[in-house]
Amino acid sequence: MLHKTDQLREAQKTGHLAPEWDPVDILMFVNQLAMSWAGRGDLLPAGEQERAAFLAARRTAIVAAVQRLFPASGT
């Protein structure tokens, strides 16, 4: 956890991530958002390609949410 929060602090210092949030709060929020799909295999498509596309779309949505919640400085 310390390595990840150090990375978040560095992203804040370089203007890639909103500095207003505590890095631990960012880490916990993003982790919980990403984990919301864990244990929900019943929602995954059966086919391998469809499953890969479904999970890629979820990752894209998580990245978009993080970008909006914790924008780079000056955006």
Side-chain angles (χ1 to χ4, degrees), residues 1-43:
M1 185 168 141
L2 290 177
H3 177 68
K4 290 180 181 181
T5 54
D6 287 343
Q7 288 178 313
L8 291 169
R9 274 189 197 87
E10 186 60 30
Q12 288 174 314
K13 287 179 189 175
T14 59
H16 290 93
L17 191 61
E20 298 83 19
W21 287 71
D22 185 299
V24 173
D25 292 334
I26 295 172
L27 180 62
M28 291 301 116
F29 182 86
V30 173
N31 183 58
Q32 289 304 307
L33 183 61
M35 292 301 296
S36 65
W37 289 99
R40 293 306 314 252
D42 58 317
L43 298 176

Side-chain angles (χ1 to χ4, degrees), residues 26-68:
I26 295 172
L27 180 62
M28 291 301 116
F29 182 86
V30 173
N31 183 58
Q32 289 304 307
L33 183 61
M35 292 301 296
S36 65
W37 289 99
R40 293 306 314 252
D42 58 317
L43 298 176
L44 295 174
E48 189 174 326
Q49 287 182 322
E50 294 85 3
R51 186 177 325 115
F54 179 86
L55 292 173
R58 302 294 74 74
R59 284 190 294 275
T60 298
I62 291 167
V63 169
V66 170
Q67 288 172 332
R68 291 182 129 207

